[in-house]
Amino acid sequence: MSHAPVPSPRVVVIGAGIVGCSLADELTARGWTDVTVLEQGPLPAPGGSTSHAPGLVFQTNPSKTLTAFAAYTVEKFSALEVDGLPCFNPVGGLELATTEERLADLHRRAGYAASWGVRGELISAERCKELWPLLDASKVLGGFFTPDDGLARAVLACRAQRERAEGRGARFLERHTVTGIEREDGRVTGVVTDRGVFPADHVVSAAGFWGPVVGRMAGIDVPLLPLAHQYAKTRPLPELAGVNDPRTEASRPILRFQDRDLYFREHTDRIGIGSYAHRPLPVDPFTVPAYDEAPVMPSSFPFTPEDFAPSWEDCRELLPALAASEVEEGFNGVFSFTPDGMPLLGETLTLRGFWLAEAVWVTHSAGVARAVAEWMVEGRPRIDVHECDLTRFEDAQRSPAYVADRGARQFIEVYDVLHPLQPMEQPRPLRVSPFHARQQELGAYFLEGGGWERPHGYEANAPLAEGLDLPERDAWSARHWSPIAAAEARATREKVALYDMTPLRRLEVTGPGSLAFLQRMTTNNLAKKPGAVTYTLLLDETGGIRSDLTVARLAPDRFQIGANSRADEDWLLRHAPDDVRICDITSGTCCIGVWGPLARALVQPLTRDDFSHRGFGYFRALETYLGHVPVTAMRLSYVGELGWELYTTADLGLRLWDTLWEAGREHGVIAAGRSAFNSLRLEKGYRSWGLDMTDEHTPYEAGLGFAVRMDKGDFLGRAALEKAGEPRRKLTALLLDDPAAVVLGKEPVYVGGLPAGYVTSASYGYTLGRCVAYAWLPPLTAGTPVHIEYFGEKVPATVADEPLFDPDMSRIRR
């Protein structure tokens, strides 16, 4: 008996720029051939950002995900050509340092390249001059050369991929302006244009800076800000006469002069110059003229010479040959920025089947398209994309004012040297816990995450740091650090400290089907009596870790979940049956971690309930009162010490803080910040999702097999774990050999002199007297020597057994 082939889902892609064309190619290559790409402008250059893009592809990025996207773009476009013309010209990339700070940054970038598998080398000023003879080498301290970077010819790459997709059944329709999105019962059903309606099972907005316009039609908020960016071309230079083949345009590396926010590329006998040095020039996507009304094209705005004038002087200093030249033509080209500079990818929850592939530069276009195609066809991308997930922004980060402020700041910071802990400056403060006033009184130094003000340390604890014997720090690792962190960590280990845990996401899951639902969604056994707390994992179908959770069963049909991000709530909502209700209670609640050997002495006098180890065991929860405040107390510790997480409603938060503070005076209580917290959790080996593991990793690779109960029945990801072989890589604890050495994260790790992995997170372990680093590495035995590259130096470290601190858990279970 023969079976009819399953019909391909109907996909409509909005936008035939580089993302839309790449996506059509990737989808049809996977068998989804009923693909229609709608474009409001004419093909092959419809007038969006792709049509004017200078095509720079620099692969190296602090984000492993963006580096992977760019690497695939290089790989794919290198194999494409149109009419004998290559779609990618591998001229290489050259980043220059003209300051000591930038030279140090290039060492870090070389580390990222080694961590993520990009070929690159640090080179001298003389070598920079050899690669770019027009340079004034006396201005240059050194460079970072990446031979596999180069120039993507975006319009050609669009055509090559469009023709392949058409050969598999896709159709591309130009001059079709989208005017509406049809939907029914929460699902997308079609796209309305000025030339008819196109039924659809899936719609992908790849509309570039028009993304907010399309999003509004679908009732979807797209937090994206279009900005104009200056690009100029010189008149022909005698020094370039006869140097370059007009068919490929360039032979020398694309050049970045980041100290002046400039980049350069050859256009046969001319030089193209891009500048981020000017004031932000926001563009309202709802007022961009149509193709036929635009003077040149919709994405090309008139050049503003007054904005470019300071940059032109910088160009002539770096490249003296420009002294006798001038800008012959220029334009202000529009492209997209998000509040954190990352793309917006994924399917929306409120309108199923409606996908975003927005805020994507040519650099990452093919990689993004492959990930979205995998997501649509296979159910998930094959690489971690949580940094790009459209759910990542909180409601407080989605206001037009926030998007405008942060999008403009992302433009300004494109080439800035940014520390991994560097907080944004505006708009702050945005979200504060109920304890904020008390924290300010204690001299809190706040960093920011998810819009929340997060105390990193407290000036009130400075006297405790006096006399501590701590190694000197280099300028980079000393930034956003203070010896106060060591004092706060010590006080936590020796006495008791209060930690503000309010920014951690809290979900309430209720309803008659809640236990069965959570059992099916997570790895550990939650079928325990009310009062139990369980550490468990959310997996996807491949066994990858989507998140780690703590689940407290507060009543037979009521659970409180400690989660990581909005993506966790989104994932649970997508799978929840009708008899389960999921509610985010984060904003209406707050949490204080009370941790340290004197935690029980502090808390017990405040309650009539038994907080002894026998009466209130580890990983238990109790709804009780502390003084006048109703709290949900959970016996958990993320710092490796006795203590509780204490939850109450936001209106009672300040009273809870004051109650604990007053009761703790006789015990020497302090407030402690995230810097100490991170040190303590790494000493104990507690993982941080998104840093130490993602959905690219399985529980057994991440050292979290203890949270998997294969005997509890079926759960999402179980079948994949059953088929998994021995791990080929493991999250590995490292101790740096030199007590004075530190690393910060994302550095490459060398085994036997060869790059073998990378650091996920690191912090000085004040209890251990050594820096602790966790890294993804092949399985290694304890005692194996490795090296971590930090600012170009190979820092010796040793593989260690876990946990590094209190392996028998006696400090927590007392």
Side-chain angles (χ1 to χ4, degrees), residues 714-731:
D714 196 24
F715 58 85
L716 189 61
R718 185 182 191 278
L721 294 186
E722 285 180 328
K723 299 173 187 173
E726 284 296 308
R728 291 177 293 178
R729 58 183 175 177
K730 287 191 172 182
L731 188 61

Side-chain angles (χ1 to χ4, degrees), residues 97-182:
T98 60
T99 65
E100 291 292 345
E101 183 184 30
R102 183 68 61 180
L103 188 61
D105 189 55
L106 294 188
H107 279 84
R108 278 191 300 280
R109 291 183 62 75
Y112 296 143
S115 289
W116 315 144
V118 177
R119 283 204 305 156
E121 61 174 323
L122 292 158
I123 61 175
S124 66
E126 292 72 27
R127 176 69 176 135
C128 292
K129 173 80 171 175
E130 290 174 16
L131 291 169
W132 251 85
L134 301 187
L135 279 175
D136 179 354
S138 69
K139 300 281 195 302
V140 178
L141 300 179
F144 177 49
F145 177 53
T146 44
D148 300 323
D149 291 340
L151 295 165
R153 304 177 79 156
V155 174
L156 279 185
C158 282
R159 185 176 152 196
Q161 294 177 100
R162 187 178 79 242
E163 289 173 356
R164 291 205 310 198
E166 287 173 334
R168 303 184 191 111
R171 57 179 176 163
F172 286 72
L173 302 177
E174 63 180 0
R175 300 288 190 175
H176 280 64
T177 298
V178 173
T179 58
I181 305 294
E182 292 188 333

Side-chain angles (χ1 to χ4, degrees), residues 71 221 240 320 391 416-417 509 516 541 574 577 600 622 646 650 726:
D221 178 33
L240 292 182
T391 64
D416 285 3
V417 176
V509 178
E541 292 85 348
R574 287 175 188 274
R600 182 176 288 117
L622 177 68
L646 303 173
E726 284 296 308

Side-chain angles (χ1 to χ4, degrees), residues 396-523:
Q397 296 174 297
R398 303 181 78 95
S399 70
Y402 186 95
V403 173
D405 288 349
R406 293 306 306 156
R409 191 69 208 169
Q410 288 297 325
F411 178 89
I412 292 168
E413 294 177 350
V414 161
Y415 283 165
D416 285 3
V417 176
L418 298 176
H419 192 277
L421 292 176
Q422 184 164 325
M424 68 180 191
E425 297 173 5
Q426 294 294 334
R428 289 181 65 193
L430 185 61
R431 307 176 80 188
V432 298
S433 78
F435 328 126
H436 187 69
R438 297 292 183 266
Q439 293 164 345
Q440 288 180 306
E441 291 167 7
L442 294 169
Y445 174 58
F446 292 100
L447 298 183
E448 182 273 343
W452 287 102
E453 295 296 312
R454 301 184 178 206
H456 203 54
Y458 293 86
E459 190 61 35
N461 298 324
L464 301 177
E466 293 174 5
L468 290 181
D469 184 19
L470 297 171
E472 285 284 322
R473 287 210 170 201
D474 65 272
W476 187 249
S477 65
R479 200 176 294 186
H480 305 295
W481 175 85
S482 163
I484 290 170
E488 292 177 357
R490 183 176 179 180
T492 308
R493 291 273 187 246
E494 295 179 355
K495 292 184 180 179
V496 60
L498 306 185
Y499 287 83
D500 182 0
M501 306 302 288
T502 301
L504 301 184
R505 182 167 297 277
R506 291 172 290 285
L507 306 176
E508 186 175 67
V509 178
T510 55
S514 52
L515 175 62
F517 167 63
L518 291 173
Q519 282 283 73
R520 188 174 73 252
M521 294 301 296
T522 71
T523 59

